[in-house]
């Protein structure tokens, strides 16, 4: 990478070592109901490495004050760390500058921020194009624009294998389309969407494009400039960072023209009784004292990821997924939801005659943590004609032994329920 | 339809005995699942939105009718373990005079016999939602 801040990316990279990576996560040594924890709910939230715990602890024990307004040493140190986290995220996404990164509470707030700012550009009848596989957090904020501003929501269909139907997607675009909001990786199907192609098609009709990178940013290298995203959102707690922190990447022109989301301290340049001047982005979107410790923790998580051999980690995840999917296929009555050619290590499934909640509850007794339910994706559940599904989602710290423990527990659950 | 009689003391004694004999969670789950299998089928036309119990992670329907001042409950769920819980609560409440049904809270009993302990928080909340629904219907 020759240009911009991406050139600062480290060039180190010992080959991915699953055992060494796993050892960074102290919680994985826990026992649940007398058995070793098998944590396969990573798509809901990932566990935290020593680096994050240490960074937050150090901040609290050594160097903490409010950011941006203090003159004293602690305020300066804390501000530096806080802004260093922003710069880490910018490098992580290959954003042009740290100023393209707005700290939010998570992906949900980031999308709400964009929807809120976009409201004034929406005329009744303007269209927002989503897909059937969006998480509710990338649906409900757009419903606000439908309810309050007359926007029309369009839904690009998902094929039977879980891939986005790109032909139908292209047909749904028109000059009426103002915004396209699409997941970069489905939290249920694991489907990875072709972000660059989606952005190019959206831009052809003059629409802006937002990617929900809540899952994708965890597993894939993201280059917001290569895909030409107008907005890209992700959340810290899935990226091995703390909860309560996430981010919005926005192109400079968008962050300049969107109006502030919330008002308060930190986001203003000057306040008078009859007028107000806002701070420059990103600060104009960060009203009030931000989640300082969480941002520092996220910065540590991102730096750890940037120092990781991510292609190696991805290969490991794919192997875990393949073993789990193969094992599942050999269980009578089991059905995988989402087998798109390009997908991440998320395994959603149903088992004939067994409710997903029963499966998850029984698996818990064997120490295996999976998710069951609608996964905050009701339109997608309806698309596949199920009321709920079980989901095992993998991280690079998972092991093949854990996959086998999961399959073994699933076999026992099936026996108990049949 | 057989006339309604409350069998609550017998049901409680039976559940207490059964749970006290079971050593591990697998047996308890298997027992609860079996109770669900023995639950009389709920008429499909009673599985309405109005009869759906909110606060349960899986789908749960409960219908209450009053006959001669006594509660007659039917219910169902799409999840096996929950259907077992529906069986337990319907057995506990069926045939009770409605005033007694409205007053009866089995939470302490469930804690006592170790049923609550066997459930996840989400499921325990669902069970509490069923109880609240039945008591509200009886009030």
């Amino acid at each position: 990478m020759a240009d911009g801040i991406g050139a600062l990316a480290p060039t180190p990279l010992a080959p991915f070592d699953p055992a060494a990576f796993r050892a960074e996560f102290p919680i994985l040594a826990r026992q649940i109901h007398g058995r070793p924890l098998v944590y396969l709910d990573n798509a809901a939230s990932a566990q935290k490495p020593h680096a994050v715990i240490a960074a937050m602890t150090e901040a609290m024990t050594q160097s903490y004050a409010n950011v941006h307004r203090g003159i004293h040493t602690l305020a300066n140190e804390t501000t530096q760390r806080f802004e260093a986290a922003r710069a880490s995220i910018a490098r992580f996404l290959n954003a042009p500058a740290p100023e393209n990164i707005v700290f939010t509470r998570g992906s949900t707030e980031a999308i709400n921020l964009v929807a809120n700012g976009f409201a004034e550009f929406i005329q009744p009848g303007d269209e927002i194009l989503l897909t059937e596989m969006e998480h509710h957090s990338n649906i409900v904020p757009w419903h606000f624009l439908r309810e309050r501003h007359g926007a029309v929501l369009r839904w690009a269909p998902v094929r039977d294998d879980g891939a986005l139907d790109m032909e139908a997607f292209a047909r749904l675009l028109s000059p009426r389309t103002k915004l396209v909001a699409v997941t970069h990786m489905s939290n249920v199907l694991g489907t990875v969407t072709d972000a660059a192609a989606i952005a190019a098609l959206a831009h052809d009709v003059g629409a802006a494009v937002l990617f929900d990178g809540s899952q994708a940013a965890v597993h894939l290298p993201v280059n917001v400039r290569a895909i030409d995203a107008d907005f890209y959102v992700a959340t810290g707690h899935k990226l091995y960072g703390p909860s309560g922190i996430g981010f919005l990447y926005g192109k400079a022109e968008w962050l300049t023209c969107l109006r502030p989301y919330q008002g308060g301290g930190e986001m203003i340049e000057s306040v008078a009784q009859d007028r107000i001047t806002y701070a420059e982005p990103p600060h104009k979107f960060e009203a009030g004292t931000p989640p300082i410790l969480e941002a520092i923790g996220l910065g540590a998580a991102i730096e750890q990821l940037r120092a990781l051999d991510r292609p190696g980690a991805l290969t490991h995840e794919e192997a875990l997924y393949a073993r789990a999917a193969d094992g599942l296929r050999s269980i009578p009555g089991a059905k995988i939801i989402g087998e798109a050619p390009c997908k991440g290590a998320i395994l959603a499934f149903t088992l004939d005659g067994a409710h997903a909640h029963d499966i998850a509850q029984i698996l818990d007794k064997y120490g295996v943590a999976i998710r069951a339910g609608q996964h905050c994706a009701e339109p997608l559940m309806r698309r596949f004609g199920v009321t709920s599904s079980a989901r095992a989602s993998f991280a690079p710290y998972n092991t093949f032994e854990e996959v086998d423990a999961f399959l073994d527990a699933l076999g026992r659950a099936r026996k108990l329920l049949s | 339809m057989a006339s309604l009689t409350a069998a609550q003391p017998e049901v409680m004694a039976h559940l207490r005995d059964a749970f006290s004999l079971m050593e591990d969670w697998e047996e308890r789950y298997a027992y609860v699942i079996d109770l669900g299998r023995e639950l009389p089928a709920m008429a499909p036309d009673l599985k309405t939105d109005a009869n759906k119990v909110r606060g349960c992670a899986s789908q749960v329907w409960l219908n209450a009718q009053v006959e001669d001042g006594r509660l007659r409950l039917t219910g169902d769920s799409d999840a096996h373990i929950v259907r077992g819980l529906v069986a337990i609560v319907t057995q506990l409440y069926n045939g009770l005079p409605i005033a007694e049904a409205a007053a009866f809270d089995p939470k302490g009993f469930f804690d006592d016999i170790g049923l609550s302990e066997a459930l996840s928080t989400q499921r325990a909340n669902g069970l509490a939602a069923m109880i609240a629904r039945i008591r509200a219907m009886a009030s």
Side-chain angles (χ1 to χ4, degrees):
Chain A
M1 241 167 279
D3 60 333
I5 183 165
L8 298 175
T11 47
L13 302 193
F16 178 69
D17 176 349
F21 186 65
R22 183 177 176 85
E24 295 294 326
F25 295 82
I27 202 172
L28 298 177
R30 249 202 83 164
Q31 302 258 315
I32 301 288
H33 304 304
R35 291 164 186 264
L37 164 67
V38 175
Y39 188 75
L40 301 180
D41 196 16
N42 296 287
S45 203
Q47 299 299 346
K48 317 305 172 198
H50 285 299
V52 170
I53 299 163
M56 294 177 78
T57 304
E58 198 210 346
M60 280 186 279
T61 52
Q62 303 293 324
S63 179
Y64 177 78
N66 211 331
V67 291
H68 294 144
R69 43 199 156 199
I71 303 297
H72 53 80
T73 302
L74 290 184
N76 287 334
E77 286 177 5
T78 310
T79 302
Q80 274 170 17
R81 286 175 192 212
F82 180 79
E83 290 302 327
R86 194 192 305 276
S88 289
I89 295 165
R91 287 188 207 106
F92 182 66
L93 299 177
N94 195 32
E99 289 71 32
N100 293 97
I101 306 299
V102 179
F103 281 122
T104 62
R105 274 192 297 136
S107 300
T108 299
E109 189 180 51
I111 296 171
N112 275 277
L113 187 160
V114 175
N116 189 277
F118 231 81
E120 66 182 299
F121 307 131
I122 294 290
Q123 304 297 321
D126 282 349
E127 295 181 359
I128 295 168
L129 179 54
L130 313 173
T131 78
E132 287 179 330
M133 61 176 149
E134 299 311 314
H135 187 283
H136 291 166
S137 60
N138 196 27
I139 295 175
V140 181
W142 310 117
H143 268 300
F144 286 180
L145 297 191
R146 180 189 60 75
E147 285 183 341
R148 299 170 192 179
H149 301 276
V152 175
L153 303 188
R154 298 272 178 213
W155 301 85
V158 169
R159 297 192 324 216
D160 288 343
D161 68 354
L164 180 62
D165 184 337
M166 284 298 284
E167 284 170 26
F169 173 84
R171 279 198 302 276
L172 284 162
L173 287 163
S174 81
R176 301 229 70 165
T177 314
K178 287 293 171 292
L179 188 92
V180 172
V182 175
T183 184
H184 195 188
M185 181 193 285
S186 162
N187 69 309
V188 180
L189 307 169
T191 304
V192 177
T193 55
D194 187 345
I198 287 168
L201 288 166
H203 291 152
D204 279 349
V205 297
V209 61
L210 176 147
F211 291 105
D212 177 359
S214 301
Q215 301 294 339
V218 183
H219 304 277
L220 309 171
V222 174
N223 185 333
V224 289
R225 280 190 281 180
I227 60 180
D228 200 16
D230 295 289
F231 303 102
Y232 197 98
V233 309
T235 191
H237 69 93
K238 296 190 207 291
L239 279 162
Y240 313 104
S243 53
I245 186 82
F247 53 84
L248 163 69
Y249 160 82
K251 279 185 183 168
E253 53 267 41
W254 278 115
L255 295 186
T256 303
C257 79
L258 287 187
R259 296 224 272 194
Y261 173 52
Q262 292 179 328
E266 292 241 25
M267 52 78 73
I268 36 78
E269 198 166 282
S270 72
V271 177
Q273 283 170 325
D274 59 350
R275 107 190 78 82
I276 193 162
T277 314
Y278 299 117
E280 293 294 311
H283 302 292
K284 86 173 180 189
F285 299 108
E286 296 177 357
T289 294
I292 299 166
L293 294 164
E294 289 75 6
I296 290 169
L298 177 57
I302 297 279
E303 281 308 304
Q304 176 151 336
L305 277 177
R306 293 182 64 238
L308 189 71
D309 165 18
R310 295 187 83 201
L314 187 61
T315 303
H316 178 63
E317 281 180 349
E318 284 170 349
L320 294 170
Y321 175 85
R323 188 180 182 102
D326 282 350
L328 199 65
R329 284 187 198 100
S330 71
I331 296 176
K335 185 170 173 297
I336 297 173
I337 303 176
E339 300 205 71
C342 187
K343 72 166 283 183
I346 295 177
L347 180 62
F349 62 95
T350 56
L351 192 56
D352 283 348
H355 194 284
H357 285 121
D358 287 337
I359 296 170
Q361 184 151 23
I362 292 169
L363 259 57
D364 174 65
K365 294 289 185 187
Y366 292 108
V368 180
I370 64 164
R371 175 84 186 262
Q374 304 191 322
H375 316 296
C376 296
E378 286 184 34
L380 185 67
M381 293 289 110
R382 271 195 292 279
R383 157 69 182 83
F384 282 95
V386 295
T387 51
S388 70
S389 68
R391 179 187 72 186
S393 52
F394 300 89
Y397 48 57
N398 289 128
T399 65
F400 294 107
E401 291 73 25
E402 289 181 312
V403 172
D404 294 343
F406 157 69
L407 291 168
D408 181 59
L410 196 58
R412 288 164 188 267
R414 187 173 160 270
K415 227 179 264 169
L416 202 56
L417 291 166
S418 65
Chain B
M1 215 175 265
S3 72
L4 276 170
T5 46
Q8 193 191 56
E10 293 84 345
V11 170
M12 286 172 79
H14 184 75
L15 283 170
R16 192 184 292 278
D17 284 352
F19 268 77
S20 72
L21 289 172
M22 291 181 284
E23 292 287 318
D24 62 12
W25 68 268
E26 275 172 311
E27 283 185 66
R28 287 178 181 191
Y29 274 26
Y31 177 73
V32 170
I33 290 166
D34 277 346
L35 289 177
R37 293 211 172 91
E38 293 157 13
L39 178 71
M42 187 182 202
D45 60 349
L46 288 177
K47 292 186 184 179
T48 60
D49 265 1
N51 281 339
K52 245 189 197 175
V53 182
R54 308 226 168 246
C56 296
S58 23
Q59 301 196 82
V60 175
W61 299 268
L62 280 173
N63 179 256
Q65 282 163 3
V66 179
E67 288 174 25
D68 304 330
R70 289 170 185 270
L71 205 58
R72 181 188 290 279
L73 281 173
T74 52
D76 199 3
S77 170
D78 57 350
H80 286 75
I81 295 171
V82 181
R83 191 181 297 123
L85 298 177
V86 171
I88 290 173
V89 298
T90 53
Q91 284 183 30
L92 283 174
Y93 280 94
N94 249 338
L96 280 189
I98 52 170
E100 275 180 50
F104 177 59
D105 183 355
K107 167 132 195 352
F109 171 69
F110 290 152
D111 291 349
D112 218 30
I113 63 169
L115 175 64
S116 307
E117 192 196 346
L119 301 173
S120 62
T121 312
Q122 211 181 17
R123 280 276 155 82
N125 290 343
L127 184 59
M130 286 186 228
I131 300 295
R133 175 65 169 259
I134 293 170
R135 293 177 67 188
M137 290 189 295
S139 302

